[in-house]
Amino acid sequence: MLPKPSFPQFKTTVLLAASLLVFNSSQAADVAGSRPNIVFILADDMGWNEAGFNGGNPEHTPHIDRFRNEGVSLTQFYSHAVCAPTRAAFLTGRYAFRTWSDWRSEDFGKPSYLKKLGLTLPTNEQGEETRRIHALDTNERTVAEALKSAGYLTALIGKWHCGEWLPEHLPMGQGFTHQYGHYAWGIDYNNYTIPHNAPARYAVYDWHRDQEPLYEQGYTTDLIANETIRLIAQHKDKSSGKRQPQPFFFYVPFNAIHGPLEEIPRYTDKYEKRYAALKCLDDAVGRIVGAVDQYGYKNDTLVIFANDNGGLRDEMNAPYRGHKNTNYEGGVRVPCVFRWPGKIEPGTSNDAMMHIVDLYSTFITLAGGSHKQKRIADSIDMTGTILAGEPAPRKEVIYEVSGSVRFPAIRLGDYKLVGKELYNIVVDPSETEDLAKQYPGIAERLAKRVAEAGTQRPPMPDMSQLMSPALPWVYGQKENATAPEWVKEEVRKVRATQPKDWAPGTTPWPQAPVDGKITYTGDGR
């Protein structure tokens, strides 16, 4: 027998409850404005139960598990259902639909996605079918810009996936002083190229430091860790050689364990590729956390580990239903651990509902930065909840609104609506019993609420800017215009190995979801 329905009252206005910045200064005054260093490590496509501390094989994630034991695990931490929306939401503190980031940049080079918007591939001045330029608007205020204004050193080390062409859409145009890694959705870990859909299927180079193409050797998971450790180690005053007083914000989004999973440098003698790649990611996390401690930053650094969306298949996210690109719990409930010695009790859990947008306001509060901005924020400051044990302020999460390739979805209190399906997440977190017919009133009220939120989706951005040339050598418009010969040679080598023809309707990447759902095969690239 299900309990009597309970959910918070809400006003039928377009102002989202999540836009309120909630903070109890009396209970958390010791951390607000304390300006800790912040290291945010984001894994890619890791399933809920693939971490040992959530039921996975502990051999795969010993360092991540040790990190979890040193901090607090957030058991109801939510993301968006796929990678680029999550990243944009984190950066802006705004749900992805507000920035049209629920549509990824590469979707505007994919006919199956364009069709859902009534669009087709355009033709550039050279007569080439090409990609429409789409990215996170440079006029958005990012967490990097907010922390930079508060005096932080800011660095993006890893996967960007919020625009890969125009300079204003790249990390250093969005508040990061330093950039290292790749711009687009999923590169080869060893040769740093990516299949380009515009609609050409050939490789493009995508590895950069401070937005210049970078030639080096190594496995990207290891290289991202190396760069992060280098920045931690070098954060010293040049005159004295001592630690700089300036705090740092390092955003470290790995491409691991996103496909393609081709050559893994170690552990394949014992584990299948996915779990060899996961163990390499675990090594990298252990090294980064170890560097924070080794170089004397442990007690004044907040380190966070989370994942961008669910794993590729249901079994990777058990006991939750669903997977990446769906709004069931398995697609949007992700592992997240906060560690800050002396401020967070080790080995604890917190079941407060939290969405990745909330990191935005939380970081700004800790940094003593300004919350003032022109555009509405969906972020809720969770400082009091995470660090002072205050009641959770978030009662609602908007996962998706109409106009996406996925069904509209909302959680309000105990209840969650996915399309027309209604679930009590507290009683039935695995979403096995659809309650829409049993509680039509609740289903109707949640549907009305998510529809109201959807009215705040802005008009489609200007899609008249086109990528030209249609098939660049390297991502980054300026970088491609002056691409060195070594880039062209590396790309030629990879293109020579790629198929010259594809069967009608087939591509190297998954087609758009059908009826709000998608099935991943292989490594999900």
Side-chain angles (χ1 to χ4, degrees):
M1 184 77 175
L2 289 169
K4 182 179 178 180
S6 65
F7 47 90
Q9 296 296 315
F10 55 88
K11 296 179 180 180
T12 55
T13 66
V14 295
L15 179 63
L16 295 178
S19 68
L20 300 176
L21 300 178
V22 180
F23 179 65
N24 186 321
S25 59
S26 63
Q27 290 184 320
D30 61 330
V31 293
S34 60
R35 298 170 60 80
N37 303 308
I38 301 171
V39 179
F40 177 39
I41 303 170
L42 189 67
D44 195 329
D45 284 7
M46 186 181 80
W48 172 268
N49 66 32
E50 291 186 304
F53 70 83
N54 274 341
N57 186 339
E59 292 182 9
H60 298 157
T61 58
H63 299 292
I64 294 172
D65 293 348
R66 184 179 304 114
F67 176 73
R68 183 266 173 273
N69 289 334
E70 295 175 349
V72 60
S73 174
L74 305 182
T75 62
Q76 294 192 82
F77 185 88
Y78 288 106
S79 65
H80 284 302
V82 71
C83 41
T86 290
R87 293 158 204 275
F90 160 65
L91 287 167
T92 63
R94 287 155 52 81
Y95 290 132
F97 77 85
R98 294 193 188 279
T99 60
W100 275 80
S101 297
D102 47 348
W103 292 85
R104 302 163 297 181
S105 59
E106 68 268 20
D107 294 341
F108 290 87
K110 297 178 178 180
S112 64
Y113 281 83
L114 289 169
K115 186 177 180 180
K116 292 181 178 293
L117 289 170
L119 299 174
T120 58
L121 284 168
T123 302
N124 64 17
E125 293 179 356
Q126 289 71 39
E128 307 164 314
E129 283 190 314
T130 191
R131 176 188 298 185
R132 300 172 190 271
I133 299 297
H134 176 57
L136 182 65
D137 182 3
T138 189
N139 293 313
E140 291 286 336
R141 184 192 191 218
T142 70
V143 67
E145 290 169 334
L147 296 190
K148 188 175 182 179
S149 295
Y152 274 64
L153 172 67
T154 60
L156 177 284
I157 311 142
K159 172 179 172 177
W160 175 238
H161 204 184
C162 285
E164 65 279 282
W165 193 241
L166 300 180
E168 61 266 30
H169 294 154
L170 300 179
M172 294 176 73
Q174 298 279 28
F176 289 97
T177 303
H178 178 71
Q179 175 276 329
Y180 176 89
H182 64 106
Y183 303 149
W185 53 272
I187 63 171
D188 186 291
Y189 290 63
N190 298 286
N191 64 40
Y192 325 125
T193 64
I194 182 171
H196 175 71
N197 49 305
R201 281 104 171 179
Y202 296 113
V204 174
Y205 197 78
D206 193 15
W207 198 246
H208 324 254
R209 176 181 280 131
D210 292 338
Q211 296 178 193
E212 294 291 341
L214 177 62
Y215 183 75
E216 60 182 343
Q217 186 274 332
Y219 182 65
T220 60
T221 303
D222 298 333
L223 294 176
I224 290 168
N226 291 350
E227 185 78 358
T228 307
I229 293 165
R230 182 182 72 83
L231 291 177
I232 293 170
Q234 292 183 356
H235 192 64
K236 297 178 180 179
D237 184 273
K238 293 181 180 178
S239 60
S240 67
K242 297 180 180 180
R243 288 172 42 187
Q244 284 194 42
Q246 181 188 27
F248 56 79
F249 164 53
F250 294 163
Y251 171 36
V252 190
F254 284 91
N255 59 316
I257 49 179
H258 194 293
L261 300 177
E262 302 293 0
E263 297 179 15
I264 316 298
R266 53 194 180 276
Y267 304 129
T268 53
D269 59 331
K270 188 173 182 181
Y271 304 110
E272 61 178 277
K273 281 186 175 182
R274 180 174 181 87
Y275 294 106
L278 177 59
K279 194 162 177 60
C280 289
L281 171 65
D282 182 76
D283 289 345
V285 172
R287 292 178 59 217
I288 292 170
V289 176
V292 169
D293 297 353
Q294 176 185 344
Y295 290 104
Y297 295 108
K298 182 175 183 176
N299 292 330
D300 53 6
T301 300
L302 171 63
V303 183
I304 300 172
F305 173 83
N307 190 53
D308 64 347
N309 48 249
L312 301 176
R313 285 175 279 281
D314 284 31
E315 60 268 22
M316 299 172 180
N317 305 304
Y320 302 117
R321 173 186 179 183
H323 51 75
K324 174 181 177 178
N325 231 331
T326 73
N327 283 305
Y328 297 111
E329 292 290 285
V332 295
R333 189 187 291 215
V334 296
C336 181
V337 176
F338 279 54
R339 190 199 80 160
W340 189 358
K343 301 294 192 299
I344 291 175
E345 186 176 351
T348 56
S349 296
N350 190 320
D351 64 357
M353 190 192 308
M354 185 171 175
H355 190 269
I356 197 163
V357 293
D358 298 332
L359 295 179
Y360 178 85
S361 294
T362 303
F363 288 1
I364 292 173
T365 291
L366 293 173
S370 172
H371 290 285
K372 293 181 180 179
Q373 59 185 66
K374 294 180 180 179
R375 299 184 179 183
I376 187 173
D378 299 298
S379 181
I380 298 178
D381 180 357
M382 300 292 286
T383 310
T385 300
I386 302 301
L387 295 164
E390 296 175 6
R394 179 170 289 283
K395 307 301 180 185
E396 174 187 87
V397 173
I398 306 287
Y399 304 101
E400 211 86 44
V401 300
S402 60
S404 167
V405 296
R406 294 163 292 276
F407 291 145
I410 179 175
R411 179 172 172 187
L412 184 60
D414 295 353
Y415 286 88
K416 181 177 172 189
L417 190 73
V418 181
K420 296 181 179 180
E421 301 169 12
L422 179 70
Y423 300 97
N424 184 316
I425 297 302
V426 174
V427 174
D428 179 25
S430 298
E431 296 167 308
T432 59
E433 184 178 1
D434 180 1
L435 303 175
K437 292 183 179 179
Q438 188 173 351
Y439 296 121
I442 297 177
E444 182 180 351
R445 293 179 73 179
L446 266 64
K448 183 178 180 180
R449 181 73 186 99
V450 77
E452 287 175 344
T455 65
Q456 294 192 0
R457 179 191 282 279
M460 184 186 296
D462 176 19
M463 304 306 299
S464 62
Q465 288 184 295
L466 306 180
M467 186 174 287
S468 191
L471 182 61
W473 295 105
V474 60
Y475 280 141
Q477 185 182 51
K478 289 184 177 180
E479 294 172 66
N480 188 69
T482 58
E485 188 58 35
W486 68 259
V487 166
K488 298 177 182 179
E489 183 59 29
E490 291 298 307
V491 172
R492 289 189 190 105
K493 290 178 185 177
V494 176
R495 289 180 182 174
T497 68
Q498 294 185 281
K500 302 299 182 289
D501 299 294
W502 291 82
T506 63
T507 55
W509 50 82
Q511 299 299 303
V514 177
D515 294 329
K517 300 177 182 179
I518 189 169
T519 300
Y520 285 97
T521 59
D523 57 24
R525 76 188 70 180

